[in-house]
Amino acid sequence: MTTDLDRALRDAFERIGDEPAPVGVAPAVVSRVRRQGRVRVALSTGALVALVAVGAPLGVRAAGGQNEPFSAGSPGGQTVQLGAGSPTCSQVVTAYSFTGRQPPRDSLLRDDATGEYVELPYHTVVPSPDGSRVLVRRGEDTPASPLRWGILDPANLDHVRWIGSYGSDEGSWSPDGKEILFTVRERLHDKGFAIVDAVTLKDTFVKLNFYAGGNTGAQDFVWAPGGNEVALTVSQSAGSESLPDQVTGIRFYNRSGKLTHTIPATAALGSAQAFSPDGSRIALQNVGIDAPIRIVATATGAAQQTIPLSGEFIAWADDEHLVLRSWPDDRKGSEMQVVDLAGRVTQVIPLRADVVNASPIFVACK
């Protein structure tokens, strides 16, 4: 691909990214669709056609993936407990980010000492599992705004250790919070994944053709339970750029890039938070806030149950409860819900009124 064509495609995507979300489409869904569209465009030599097809119709069709306790008087409202069977601890929002928004606004990070949110000038802020470090992202992966990742010390918000540039819109912490995983899909370089040590910033790149075997999906690698493997959603083309890819399975690789096993699947693995705390189950969901959540066995992919709720899966609260983001008020506002595996709501956490467009949102048990 020529430099001029590459630049034209980037500019075209940014213009689409500036457009407001279609009416009735949740901002988190639009963000995910645009992110997947960006990857497809970057990898296709017929990219301009793909860009137009993916950038608009998918968002329309989607209409039909650690936090402050919300106390009385707090900006987010009051946590509402509903009935028995709630988790043993409350889910709170640790960070609000605004990936995909043009121009980006400041992200918000919860200060555990005060319970207040601090504005940070980054597209994404991702707290580590224990909250001792924060992964931050700056830039939009364009010539005028290069993408950079760094590790922020929450005790010193002016101190960021910059890691470097990776062709990934997302980075994720290992289960022990000691490493960071990036998907590397540079247009003109080797593809695979990189693991970065959070202390030394030393990175290990694993070359891997994750499009082998007909995989056409745009999902990123995620950590599998224990941190000894990574997992990737596998998709097949539906035969048209205007239709979403169809998920066919999930591949598991060891840290050296060797395929260890594959399980069947019909919905996507969105993040490491999709694995249950005990590691035995996965909550899968395709793009779209009305898409059902499918609980499957980690070892075999065997379907266990389907939860037909309207909402975006965020994380497991514990082994028997999920955290969802829902839009109950005709998509005009959003809230967090903790539900049991039968779909019953056990806790409602209103979100701040000024962050309705935040995506992603990170939660933790406090």
Side-chain angles (χ1 to χ4, degrees):
M1 183 179 294
T2 67
T3 301
D4 290 342
L5 179 56
D6 184 41
R7 184 180 300 111
L9 295 177
R10 289 175 181 268
D11 292 343
F13 182 83
E14 294 304 321
R15 287 194 296 273
I16 287 178
D18 288 340
E19 294 300 317
V23 176
V25 181
V29 175
V30 173
S31 177
R32 281 191 292 168
V33 170
R34 285 174 177 165
R35 184 170 64 247
Q36 293 179 6
R38 179 199 299 252
V39 173
R40 177 177 290 179
V41 167
L43 295 171
S44 172
T45 56
L48 191 55
V49 174
L51 180 63
V52 174
V54 173
L58 279 179
V60 175
R61 189 168 48 256
Q66 304 169 6
N67 309 260
E68 173 188 12
F70 292 93
S71 57
S74 71
Q78 185 175 11
T79 297
V80 181
Q81 299 287 347
L82 299 177
S86 296
T88 55
C89 63
S90 295
Q91 293 292 317
V92 293
V93 178
T94 53
Y96 296 96
S97 298
F98 295 87
T99 300
R101 179 165 174 166
Q102 297 293 328
R105 62 157 289 173
D106 290 341
S107 293
L108 300 173
L109 176 69
R110 180 180 185 265
D111 183 339
D112 284 335
T114 65
E116 300 295 328
Y117 285 101
V118 179
E119 289 193 1
L120 296 175
Y122 305 108
H123 293 72
T124 310
V125 292
V126 187
S128 63
D130 65 359
S132 64
R133 302 183 181 98
V134 181
L135 181 65
V136 298
R137 198 202 92 181
R138 173 177 288 168
E140 282 291 343
D141 195 22
T142 66
S145 180
L147 184 151
R148 299 181 70 195
W149 289 97
I151 298 177
L152 171 75
D153 179 0
N156 182 2
L157 299 180
D158 295 324
H159 183 214
V160 178
R161 294 179 299 132
W162 293 104
I163 297 171
S165 177
Y166 288 97
S168 176
D169 282 335
E170 294 186 0
S172 59
W173 291 100
S174 59
D176 62 8
K178 295 181 179 180
E179 296 175 306
I180 304 162
L181 174 67
F182 294 102
T183 301
V184 181
R185 47 166 55 93
E186 299 290 346
R187 282 172 290 278
L188 302 177
H189 301 285
D190 293 333
K191 298 174 177 58
F193 61 86
I195 296 176
V196 177
D197 185 283
V199 175
T200 66
L201 301 188
K202 180 181 179 180
D203 68 280
T204 301
F205 171 70
V206 179
K207 182 179 178 180
L208 178 63
N209 179 16
F210 42 80
Y211 293 103
N215 178 30
T216 60
Q219 297 288 332
D220 288 327
F221 285 97
V222 306
W223 290 102
N228 293 320
E229 292 186 324
V230 297
L232 179 73
T233 298
V234 179
S235 301
Q236 299 291 330
S237 173
S240 171
E241 288 288 354
S242 64
L243 296 174
D245 295 332
Q246 297 176 344
V247 175
T248 59
I250 299 171
R251 295 175 184 165
F252 290 80
Y253 299 87
N254 65 19
R255 293 168 64 100
S256 298
K258 180 181 179 180
L259 179 66
T260 61
H261 64 288
T262 301
I263 63 173
T266 57
L269 169 61
S271 70
Q273 285 67 47
F275 291 98
S276 62
D278 66 6
S280 66
R281 291 164 292 173
I282 317 175
L284 304 176
Q285 186 181 36
N286 286 320
V287 174
I289 61 173
D290 294 323
I293 298 170
R294 298 165 185 170
I295 308 297
V296 305
T298 301
T300 64
Q304 296 185 347
Q305 62 193 109
T306 298
I307 305 176
L309 295 176
S310 178
E312 179 193 14
F313 171 81
I314 301 296
W316 290 75
D318 57 28
D319 284 318
E320 301 302 326
H321 294 83
L322 308 178
V323 182
L324 307 180
R325 186 179 181 185
S326 65
W327 286 261
D329 185 21
D330 192 28
R331 313 293 197 267
K332 295 178 181 178
S334 63
E335 65 184 19
M336 305 291 286
Q337 294 180 344
V338 178
V339 303
D340 63 22
L341 299 187
R344 292 184 293 262
V345 178
T346 63
Q347 182 184 6
V348 174
I349 307 174
L351 298 179
R352 291 168 52 121
D354 61 336
V355 295
V356 65
N357 290 316
S359 175
I361 289 177
F362 299 94
V363 300
C365 192
K366 296 293 186 179

